[in-house]
Amino acid sequence: MVYDYLASMGYADPVRVQQEAANSDLSCLIRFYSERPVNADQQERTLLKGVFSVRKGKTQLHKWAERQVILCGTCLIVASVKDSLTGKMHILPLVGGKVEEVKRRQHCLMFSSAGSQAQTYFVNFDTLADYQRWHRQASKVVSQTVSLVDLSCYSLETVPEYLFYSQDITHLNLRHNFMSLQGPGGLLNLPRFSQLKSLNLSHNRLGVFPECVCEILTLTELNLSCNSLHTIPVQIGNLQSLQTLSLDGNHLSSLPEELGGLFQLNSLGLSFNSFSHIPAVLERLSAVDKLAMAGNRVESLELCTLVRMSHLKIIDLRLNRLRWVKSENLEAVNQVTQLDLRDNCLDSLDLSSVCNLENLHCQRNQLGTLTLSGFTLRMLHASSNRLTTVNIYPVPNQLTYMDLSQNLLEYLPDWVCDCRKIEMLDVTHNLLSELPSRLLNSLSLRKLLTGNNRLQRVPDLLDHVPLEALDLQHNKLAELPESLFYKALNLKYLNVSANALESIPPSSQSEESLSTLQELYLTGNNLNENCGAVLVGHQNLRILHIAYNRLLSFPASKLSKLELLEELNLSGNKLKTIPSTVSSCKRLHTLIAHSNHITVFPEILNLPEIKLVDLSCNELTEIQLPDSLPPTLQELDLTGNSSLMLEHKTLNLFSHITTLKLDQKSTTTAADSLSASTPWNHGYSEMSGQRNKLCVSVLAVDRFGDSVEACYGIFDGDRNEEVPRLLQCTMGDVLCEELQHSSVDSVYMCNTFLTSHRKLGMAGQKLGASALLCYIHRETSDPGGNFCLTVANVGTCQAVLCRNGRPVPLSKVYSLENCTEEMERVKLSKAIITEDNKVSGVTCCSRLLGCSYLSPWVLPKPWVHTEPLCSQDEFLILGNRALFERVSYQEAVCTVQAVQDPRAAAKKLCSLAQSYGCKDNIGAVVVSLHIGEDSCTCDPLVSTTESRGPPSATVPVTVTPGPSDPVNLSSSSGIVTEFSSETSASEMGSEAGSTASDEHPSSGPVSRPERRCSLHPATTLCGIMVPGSVGAGTHPNLFQRQPSCATFSSNQSDNGLDSDDEAPLEGVISNGSKLEVEVDIHCCAFQLRSGAPDSPKDLDFEKRGSDYPNGKMRRQNSVVVSATNGCLLAVCGREIADLKKSPSTSSLFGKKLSNGSVVAPEDSHNLIEVALEAPKKKSGYFTAPAQQDPEDQLIVPPSLEQEVREQLRGQSPLVSGPSAPSTPTSLKDPVWDHPQPPAFPSSLVPGPGPAPMLQQEVYDTAL
């Protein structure tokens, strides 16, 4: 069974299946697949039982006696201790009764039944735990208004035998169990419930219809959905009182004639079965008014069949295989009022004979023509077809709602303007070149959506109209009607983004404005600062997006008039300052003004409601701060301001901000020669939109592992933030590990996703996320050859490659609406797809990481595609569903091409999506590619061959900053400046639970040799650039890829996060103080030099930028540093080696989001993020002492100190040419004693003379 489950998930290799089957974490997944209960004894969850002191009645006449007391179902049972089943029993019905605490006795409850003849029992419990458990359970029972027993999802095979004593039960829910026919509590005994009216046996995998149910003649409601039933017995005719019968999600292809005798039956569910036609027995079921047959195999619909079933008013035939709807005669179908034909294969539809039709759904077909009767038509949903026209006769005067979006309409039919009651019209994504004048002047139209067409003008408004929302984005408009605002006085929403507007019309004809406009989106036009004078008239404006226009300034006097403004987006203009009058906008909570030329920080930090300020990619030099900041400020982004200098006092003032993003300052060093070898760099952006949490996380590693490789990913949890964060922290490690086992792209990528799915543990049972992972590497067959891009994804995250200026989609969208094959697979597995196209009403995706309880309908197996890269490939875009729903592939490519910096490009994509109407979380990653035909192809070393196994043993050496190193720490503020190092390391999110791999790395069948070429002479060790002459000696076994060994345990709290009893995570460091700072360590600060430093400049910080033409080098990777009371806590030595090899730490360092998300601050994201949310817990790995503990000092054992010093002196300096491999002795966990940090043993500080050779492992400095 376990093997079958793993095979259904996607594992193909039998050996790997055996390995996975032995993993303990598999229990988190298999419990939703197993045919048997996980725990055989579920008695404690279904009933309470014990021997307690009992007294009957309220008077003192009865004495206390020991009795067996049972609370099961709706009754309290008091019986003899010896003969609990055969002796005398007292049964007390509790529904509607009372359960009260007896204050005169400790741990005593009084149980009373309802009614005038109420009986009372006093029960004295032995412990407080028993007392509370019984009180809680009994209180639920007495509060019920009906005798309902809910035993769903209890993994039961039989019901408790004591339940049959509750003869007042009328509603019994046994959904999601494993009920069997036989046994004392099996289904054969259900007829013993003499008053049972409602029985739910859905999702029990019965296989056959339980005929014993037909003996419960009192039943009015029966649910047997999702039980793999193939036939219905004729005994169903015995249930003459039956009113509701649910048979959805089975394998039924026919119904017995006896079913037609159930004259009281008014609801019959037949969806997601195997019917090829409408069952004839429905003609006799005159009380049934709805035909629920979604997800069957009906290929044609004869309207004359519906004529014979005159009682059917609602027809649901969505998700069938309908190819035509026939009407052989002209007989009218009078009774049908609602018809749902969504997601079929119809190319034309004529329903003119359905003369009383009120509501039609025909989305996502292939309709070219549509003909309807308009007598009673009220709502028409016909989006995502190929319609060029719609014929409705007569004019639908009752029509209020019409959706014709995503079709091929070049004009609107004339009858649309004649509709007297139409309120909402959606014609977005068509080919319209003009709008009828009468349409805009309609006296009923309140919402008009005409975006993504070819409109060149909008007709003038002739009179006052009730229009409230108008969407004109993505057209070719050069101007708006002059009378728009003072004729449409009810207009509250206007979106004219992505047009060619140079001005906007005035708000009124006089000085007094009556405008009620609240949301105005003007992004992506040609507006200049003159528009500010017009905006003043809209004094009710709450949201204003005027990004990516041509504003040189914003009139100060005009901005002060917008006192109700809450959100302002001025990004992508040429502003040099934001007027000080912005302080008049007391309700402003969001200011986004990135990608301008702003030099002075605006006066916004005194606003009482300010939450988010984004001033990245500007020219800020200093910040003038008030004495205190508003407590509402949650995020401040100041990255991309190369001249900005912040003092420690300023950083201290920012200390309460949840997310603070800053650039670090550095100058170019020799390490840039290595970074130049990486032919890519990236930028990213995440926006929470109008949601109060960010459920999108990004993984980004420009230098993945040991060779020239990269890894990028994006994870979207839709409504949950836990799973994306966990995937972000673990998936890089898992990929690293899988690369040890296989070199086949489809194998290691698929196994990466499946293993990550398993490692989600408890958090992934009911939560899930879309995931996309991109891995750039050399061709496996030719390690020195061209680069390839391997992409894998599940869900709705997407990747697009720009090649020769054109988009090349690399991913597959696994949603039910976009993928026909997945829809068929889910239907064949008999999932219930709700009307909003969600599996069991949960998710629209058919493949996700997590949501294991939806197996086998939702699977974690990814789509895998490998694309060879060439010199024509310019960049790669990764985005979530919300981004690409609003921004097309072509527009995304054109947008990024127009921006030089990948970070600014990613921010622009997110800002555009928001201006186009997106309210959800948005995430975007832009990877700039520089894959030239003459790209570096480092030759493999002849002397050594590396495998992806554990690093070989080497002699550890400490590497510490010398006295001249510019490492300035503030003991008072706890702030450390950010340095750069060669590989990216990170601190995991504070709420991320555990990191990735719990398997031990092993050497795989594929070896990846270390490569060098004339472009890359310098040798890097342990993530540190070792300067030397060209052709510096190389050393074997220096570059190893090894996943972190921290266990991602499933023994967590309910959501899989923040378990107090988890072990400290590798790579997670806390100083125990309130402030947690994540920074980089410059490689030179931890370098052994061949001579004395020439000048302080040799130790200056590294200047970084993008790899674009106007940029500098790519960002180096990071390690973690924290400051506490002047102590330097550095992750160096072994930690640097482990962090370097662990993508979960090497890539996630640098960004702490408000929800705990951590992202890689590489290239254009040189961030210091001050995250105060993280160290909230008082236990676990956030209890590291703020002061140095003597037991935590790192000391070299005396017996080993001399040997270590001799080995250090014995090392030869780095010289040109290859050096022979050496295998020095490894020391197990040696430590270095430095009681007064950051002072270090003088013998270990680099100075004049030959520098000792750096080894793979060095060790920690003290906390």
Side-chain angles (χ1 to χ4, degrees), residues 29 177 206 314 351 441 495 636 782 972 1008-1009 1055 1156 1171 1243 1248:
L29 311 178
N177 284 291
L206 298 176
I314 304 172
L351 297 175
N441 287 281
N495 194 330
L636 177 60
D782 184 7
S972 61
R1008 299 206 174 194
N1055 62 352
S1243 61

Side-chain angles (χ1 to χ4, degrees), residues 260 262-263 265 281-289 310-312:
L262 305 181
F263 299 111
L265 191 66
V281 70
L282 286 172
E283 296 180 19
R284 299 168 53 196
L285 296 174
S286 57
V288 176
D289 62 352
S310 58
H311 49 278
L312 294 178

Side-chain angles (χ1 to χ4, degrees), residues 54 77 86 108 137 154 257 317 388 447 457 461 474 490 506 531 610 624 650 659 675 677 911 913 920 952 1069 1141 1153:
V54 178
I77 303 173
T86 58
C108 184
Q137 187 66 25
Y154 276 6
E257 287 296 323
L317 288 173
T388 57
K447 186 174 184 179
R457 61 176 298 272
L461 297 180
H474 285 92
N490 292 332
C531 68
I610 192 71
Q624 298 293 331
T650 303
T659 304
S675 67
S677 66
S911 291
D920 290 334
S952 59
I1069 298 175
K1141 297 166 198 164
L1153 299 171

Side-chain angles (χ1 to χ4, degrees), residues 564-584:
L564 301 181
L565 200 61
E566 299 176 4
E567 179 179 324
L568 178 61
N569 191 331
L570 297 168
S571 304
N573 286 285
K574 299 179 181 179
L575 300 176
K576 294 185 178 179
T577 182
I578 293 178
S580 59
T581 52
V582 71
S583 58
S584 302

Side-chain angles (χ1 to χ4, degrees), residues 174 190 356 1019 1110:
L174 295 173
L190 291 184
N356 288 321
T1019 302
N1110 64 345

